[in-house]
Amino acid sequence: MGGLEVRELECFLVLAQELHFGRTGERLYVSQSRVSQLLSSLERRVGARLVSRTSRSVRLTPLGARFRDALGPAYGALREVVDDARNAAREVAGRLRIGFQGTADDRLLGAVTAYQDRHPGSSVEITEVALSDPFGPVHRGEVDAAVVLLPVQEEELVLGPVFSRQPQRLTISARHPLAARYEVSAEDLGDVALISAAAPAGEYWRRAHAPLVTPGGRPIPEGPAVTTLQEGVWLIAAGRGAMLLCEPTAVYHRRADVVDIPVTGLPETALGLVWHRDHENARIRALSSVVAEIVP
């Protein structure tokens, strides 16, 4: 195409209709001199004059008329393709696939319900996201957006609303000496092996939830790596280690042989809605707006 510019084609087609540089500029919201520049650039690419201009008239050359007749339908088809894509990007109706990591509480499910109520033509599919692969489903296009534990440092992902900030709890076997405590400090984590997420979760994300040292620099024993949260709970019950979980998730997974204890000296956990920047659409933006409004 020799670097052909769509704006030049658009200018030529309007000029072919108006046969007047001033009116063409008005329709395109550009100056008359800009119309002349676009036409001259197009003629240089073509290698011949397309418009004959005198002080009294503007008319197409024979080649210009032939070019107009051939270009018109092709340009119209191109506009249709662009308009269809634009309309699809603005369309909220349709299927929205959401991934959830951990426990989807009532507030989050309420946001999903509100989204569907506001957009009757929409449908929502909910998929669990593995502990060991928090961002994989979004990268692979298996879900449109996902609710995941922070932090998020993936350059390709957009972080939307951040919500559900919760204190951390140490989930540990009921037989462990720390299980009798009403509260533990971050420095007490040096007395227990922490179970972490397995790969492909990034190292930065794994260590955010299973650190190797306490805030004071005390080493924390490294426990097994698991792919799912349920695997982690089983290992905790077997006395193989402990996990740091947000309060709602810890409460949800309570059982007779596992206890959860408040931990002081650690930052709160938080959830975030993420999506791939190349796949953003109106449905994702609508969901983000609802979540930001409804979920604290």
Side-chain angles (χ1 to χ4, degrees):
M1 294 288 286
L4 201 60
E5 296 286 343
V6 172
R7 189 62 164 167
E8 296 171 3
L9 301 179
E10 180 183 33
C11 179
F12 170 76
L13 288 174
V14 173
L15 182 60
Q17 293 175 351
E18 296 291 345
L19 296 178
H20 190 281
F21 279 72
R23 291 194 297 270
T24 298
E26 291 175 1
R27 283 183 55 180
L28 297 176
Y29 300 99
V30 298
S31 65
Q32 185 171 323
S33 62
R34 180 57 177 159
V35 174
S36 297
Q37 292 172 0
L38 290 169
L39 175 62
S40 297
S41 179
L42 178 60
E43 289 178 330
R44 285 195 299 271
R45 297 180 197 279
V46 171
R49 296 289 298 277
L50 300 174
V51 174
S52 175
R53 179 185 186 184
T54 68
S55 59
R56 296 185 176 182
S57 66
V58 176
R59 61 183 178 85
L60 298 180
T61 65
L63 179 60
R66 177 182 170 185
F67 186 59
R68 174 203 59 196
D69 294 342
L71 176 62
Y75 183 80
L78 178 61
R79 285 294 299 270
E80 280 190 26
V81 170
V82 174
D83 289 343
D84 286 346
R86 182 183 294 114
N87 291 334
R90 293 175 177 173
E91 181 59 61
V92 175
R95 182 180 65 161
L96 179 66
R97 302 163 301 164
I98 308 173
F100 284 95
Q101 186 183 47
T103 304
D105 62 20
D106 292 341
R107 294 169 298 175
L108 203 51
L109 294 177
V112 172
T113 300
Y115 170 85
Q116 291 183 290
D117 289 344
R118 295 181 187 184
H119 307 288
S122 65
S123 63
V124 175
E125 295 180 3
I126 298 176
T127 302
E128 184 176 2
V129 174
L131 180 69
S132 62
D133 196 16
F135 311 119
V138 177
H139 281 300
R140 295 189 295 270
E142 297 168 0
V143 298
D144 300 300
V147 175
V148 297
L149 280 165
L150 301 185
V152 177
Q153 296 178 6
E154 317 294 303
E155 292 184 358
E156 302 88 350
L157 300 185
V158 177
L159 175 60
V162 174
F163 50 92
S164 192
R165 299 182 185 275
Q166 299 286 344
Q168 297 196 61
R169 300 180 77 91
L170 181 68
T171 302
I172 195 168
S173 168
R175 301 187 302 276
H176 194 281
L178 289 177
R181 302 268 294 272
Y182 291 105
E183 183 181 85
V184 296
S185 73
E187 296 307 311
D188 291 323
L189 297 179
D191 295 327
V192 60
L194 286 184
I195 297 168
S196 66
E203 182 69 11
Y204 81 89
W205 191 89
R206 297 171 62 199
R207 294 310 160 205
H209 302 287
L212 295 178
V213 295
T214 67
R218 186 183 179 194
I220 300 174
E222 187 172 1
V226 297
T227 58
T228 69
L229 184 55
Q230 191 61 53
E231 289 178 24
V233 174
W234 290 339
L235 288 175
I236 292 170
R240 298 282 305 281
M243 295 185 76
L244 290 171
L245 301 176
C246 68
E247 186 173 7
T249 300
V251 170
Y252 181 81
H253 288 281
R254 279 177 179 167
R255 43 189 283 175
D257 50 2
V258 169
V259 298
D260 55 273
I261 312 164
V263 183
T264 62
L266 289 180
E268 293 181 322
T269 64
L271 296 174
L273 181 69
V274 301
W275 60 89
H276 200 289
R277 64 179 68 255
D278 292 343
H279 303 155
E280 183 175 319
N281 56 41
R283 291 186 292 277
I284 294 173
R285 289 190 292 271
L287 174 67
S288 177
S289 177
V290 171
V291 170
E293 174 187 339
I294 292 179
V295 183

